[in-house]
Amino acid sequence: MSFFVYILGSGPYGTLYIGSTDDLAKRVYDHKQKARPRSFTAKYGVDRLVWFETFEMRENAFRRERQMKEWRRRWKIALIEEMNPRWDDLSEQLNSLLGFAGG
C-alpha cells in the first residue's frame, strides 16, 4: 500500500492546500466534486493536483505533510515548479504517473 502527500492549487501561484491520503485518486476526485462543501478547498476553489510524493509508510507521509505545512509559501512554490513548472493539473495523468495499466 502507498501513502501520499499532495499539494492542490487554485491555479498557478494561487491558493495552496497540502494533504495526505492513502488513495490519491479518490481524494482528488472528492476535492473536485466538493464532497465537503464547507471545506477550505471547496470555499477557495482549490482542486488542481499540482504536486505529490509517495511513501511506503503512513507515518512518513503524515510527518512530511506536517513539515510542509510549516514551510514558507515560496518553498512550496519551488517544490511544485521543480516537478510541475507549468502547474498542470496532474490528476488528468494520475494513473500513468502512478504506473497503473490503462491510465
Side-chain angles (χ1 to χ4, degrees):
M1 178 175 237
S2 294
F3 302 93
F4 304 91
V5 175
Y6 62 94
I7 301 176
L8 300 178
S10 60
Y13 307 100
T15 303
L16 300 177
Y17 173 85
I18 297 173
S20 62
T21 185
D22 62 358
D23 189 341
L24 186 57
K26 180 181 183 327
R27 191 70 185 110
V28 171
Y29 176 82
D30 289 347
H31 285 294
K32 288 186 175 296
Q33 297 302 310
K34 297 178 180 26
R36 297 179 183 146
R38 299 211 278 234
S39 70
F40 176 88
T41 57
K43 181 177 179 181
Y44 294 101
V46 182
D47 65 1
R48 296 167 51 100
L49 178 66
V50 294
W51 179 91
F52 68 92
E53 188 173 6
T54 307
F55 295 85
E56 291 183 13
M57 296 177 57
R58 182 183 309 273
E59 298 79 23
N60 293 343
F62 183 73
R63 189 176 308 117
R64 176 73 158 160
E65 175 191 9
R66 292 288 160 225
Q67 175 191 52
M68 290 174 63
K69 285 185 174 185
E70 298 294 322
W71 284 11
R72 295 182 182 275
R73 179 178 169 80
R74 69 177 179 261
W75 299 349
K76 297 170 193 174
I77 289 171
L79 187 67
I80 293 165
E81 292 188 335
E82 183 179 316
M83 175 188 198
N84 185 4
R86 295 188 333 222
W87 291 66
D88 294 329
D89 186 350
L90 302 175
S91 67
E92 298 167 5
Q93 313 155 13
L94 195 54
N95 285 342
S96 62
L97 290 170
L98 295 177
F100 294 135

